[in-house]
Amino acid sequence: MSPAAQPSGEAELTDPWVALEPGADPVERVRVLRRAHETFTEAGTVPRPVRSVVADSWRRSARAGVGPDGSACVELTDGDLGSYRAEHPLARVMPLFRELMGTFAADGEHLLAVCDAQGRLLWVEGHPRTRQKADGMNFVPGARWAESAVGTNAPGTAVALDRPVQVFAAEHFIRRVQPWTCAAAPVHDPRTGRLLGAVDITGGDGLAHPHSLGFVQAVARAAESHLALLTPAPATTDVLELTALGRDEALLVAGGSKVRLSRRHSEILVLLSRHPEGLTGDELLCALYEDESVTPVTLRAELARLRRLLGAGVLGSRPYRLTVPVESDVEVVERKLGVGAVMAAVAAYTGPLLPGSQAPAVVRLRRRLTDGLRAALVSGRDPDLLADWAHAPWGEDDLDAWRALATIRPTPPVRARLEELEADQSANRGRTPHAPR
């Protein structure tokens, strides 16, 4: 059946992450997508032919206040850009990216782009004529291409979803980007799993082939493997790496091995990492348990299991302490905040500390870290950083952040969300609390 004879204007895609499958008519697909884009921007509804990944991204873009006629803003220039990307972990694999993708980009008149975890472009390289065209839409190093800033696009959506994605023509949310097609894949720290950014190939309709998506995925995997070779895992006796932000069960890297900890062991290691001098059994009991009826025997059993997991000599006693240094993502964020590097602190913050934990000491630490970041964002008045925070899962109900964002970027979606949160707060204040039973 020809594309024109199909009710939807195209064949049903068998892979929702691929923009245009072999045999599809790109001209017809563009026509359908442009009509769907206009329907969404005018009426807020997404017609069925639009892929679900794109439809969801359009909705997030609209909620973030992105307009279809907007453009990217350049945040980092000259010395700031140079120093930032020189220190970025992906700088170590740029030679690999150029080796694997440089010829392909140059011969095909495409662009190789690399962004950080916030969707900020660090490198844009490739065919000179294509780069000149891309300059017109600020697809340049230092520009912010996060989904919350410029809507649906491959590098921004790849880091938002933390998975490879292809975006074709009018699937882009901003109209001036719709002549382009791009495919991007996220790149992670091979030891901690932390999202570092994404690698992207951008060009014309020829990139809509499924092979383009597979290509950038393969390049991203090669980069992660190369990073693993460049950064050998530390020996167990040297350092432990603890990742506890945005996770109910922390990830521990020790001696090259990754271990997902139980919730209680996660809490214990977070607390012991904060107290290198050690904690007594009574101090740990108070820090971990709201219920005063929990006995020291219960805690000792947990510590015995943790000691077996960590190996001999890592967990000392009297007081309980770790005998090797610990590097935690919590401390990374705190250090960056301490020197005023708010952008870097936000980039390193992947969510609240052990969000499901009710351990009193963990709750206090989680709140202190969140409050510190929020205060830095509010005082810094960076609308893009505030928007990223407000639209993240941990910030969608953050009234202070939405108030700050509304004073800087008072778009209708932002004002609507603020009014909704303030109405909820008023309703909660008006409720009479139940008498204690």
Side-chain angles (χ1 to χ4, degrees):
M1 181 183 292
S2 68
Q6 295 163 12
S8 65
E10 60 170 77
E12 189 71 22
L13 293 173
T14 57
D15 183 350
W17 297 95
V18 172
L20 194 67
E21 292 188 338
D25 182 353
V27 175
E28 174 65 10
R29 176 70 172 156
V30 168
R31 186 185 65 79
V32 170
L33 286 171
R34 283 179 176 164
R35 188 168 63 239
H37 184 269
E38 292 305 313
T39 298
F40 178 75
T41 55
E42 292 173 4
T45 58
V46 185
R48 184 176 177 276
V50 178
R51 293 183 292 153
S52 60
V53 61
V54 174
D56 291 342
S57 178
W58 284 0
R59 295 185 186 102
R60 289 193 301 271
S61 303
R63 287 198 299 270
V66 180
D69 297 313
S71 62
C73 294
V74 177
E75 291 187 348
L76 297 173
T77 58
D78 303 329
D80 289 339
L81 173 62
S83 59
Y84 179 72
R85 63 184 181 183
E87 297 174 359
H88 197 277
L90 290 180
R92 307 179 74 185
V93 289
M94 272 309 296
L96 178 69
F97 287 147
R98 293 182 180 115
E99 179 183 352
L100 296 178
M101 302 177 69
T103 301
F104 175 77
D107 291 350
E109 299 192 6
H110 307 314
L111 297 177
L112 153 66
V114 176
C115 72
D116 65 8
Q118 306 304 117
R120 192 178 296 104
L121 296 179
L122 302 181
W123 292 272
V124 179
E125 301 176 0
H127 194 277
R129 187 164 57 249
T130 310
R131 287 190 63 182
Q132 187 176 20
K133 292 179 182 177
D135 288 351
M137 60 177 182
N138 268 354
F139 195 79
V140 295
R144 186 180 182 81
W145 278 75
E147 197 182 67
S148 60
V150 294
T152 310
N153 70 94
T157 302
V159 295
L161 299 179
D162 195 9
R163 70 150 296 151
V165 65
Q166 189 176 49
V167 179
F168 169 68
E171 289 181 333
H172 288 93
F173 192 77
I174 289 183
R175 292 189 179 97
R176 71 178 62 190
V177 190
Q178 292 180 350
W180 299 80
T181 292
C182 46
V187 182
H188 303 87
D189 185 305
R191 288 195 293 140
T192 66
R194 181 172 68 91
L195 178 66
L196 299 177
V199 58
D200 167 82
I201 190 78
T202 288
D205 291 353
L207 289 177
H209 196 281
H211 290 170
S212 300
L213 187 61
F215 176 50
V216 292
Q217 285 181 268
V219 171
R221 286 194 296 268
E224 291 172 351
S225 298
H226 193 57
L227 283 170
L229 294 174
L230 292 174
T231 313
T236 305
T237 55
D238 291 337
V239 67
L240 301 176
E241 284 194 18
L242 186 64
T243 303
L245 294 177
R247 308 173 60 98
D248 286 326
E249 297 177 330
L251 183 70
L252 179 69
V253 179
S257 299
K258 294 181 183 179
V259 180
R260 190 174 70 180
L261 303 170
S262 70
R263 293 195 176 199
R264 187 61 75 195
H265 288 169
S266 300
E267 294 167 343
I268 293 172
L269 275 187
V270 164
L271 296 178
L272 291 180
S273 71
R274 308 287 297 178
H275 297 276
E277 75 284 0
L279 294 169
T280 67
D282 286 343
E283 288 172 331
L284 264 178
L285 273 175
C286 292
L288 288 169
Y289 299 101
E290 291 181 294
D291 186 354
E292 295 182 359
S293 67
V294 175
T295 66
V297 173
T298 300
L299 177 59
R300 285 199 293 269
E302 289 285 3
L303 289 165
R305 287 189 283 269
L306 180 58
R307 184 177 283 112
R308 288 194 295 271
L309 178 68
L310 296 176
V314 177
L315 178 59
S317 58
R318 297 183 181 176
Y320 294 109
R321 66 198 184 283
L322 295 170
T323 60
V324 297
V326 181
E327 175 73 9
S328 76
D329 51 353
V330 175
E331 291 174 349
V332 170
V333 173
E334 289 178 324
R335 283 200 302 268
K336 293 181 184 301
L337 268 183
V339 298
V342 179
M343 185 184 299
V346 172
Y349 184 79
T350 53
L353 169 65
L354 301 178
S357 173
Q358 295 301 315
V362 174
V363 170
R364 289 193 294 272
L365 178 57
R366 181 169 63 227
R367 185 180 299 121
R368 187 163 64 246
L369 187 64
T370 302
D371 289 349
L373 274 168
R374 182 195 301 108
L377 287 169
V378 170
S379 63
R381 295 180 61 81
D382 183 313
D384 291 320
L385 288 179
L386 269 170
D388 280 348
W389 178 274
H391 289 96
W394 54 84
E396 58 187 7
D397 296 323
D398 190 330
L399 183 56
D400 289 340
W402 282 97
R403 282 173 173 163
L405 181 60
T407 64
I408 304 168
R409 183 177 283 168
T411 62
V414 170
R415 290 199 301 266
R417 181 57 180 157
L418 176 59
E419 290 171 2
E420 182 181 0
L421 289 175
E422 289 179 333
D424 289 344
Q425 184 186 64
S426 298
N428 290 333
R429 285 175 177 170
R431 293 193 184 111
T432 301
H434 295 291
R437 295 179 181 177

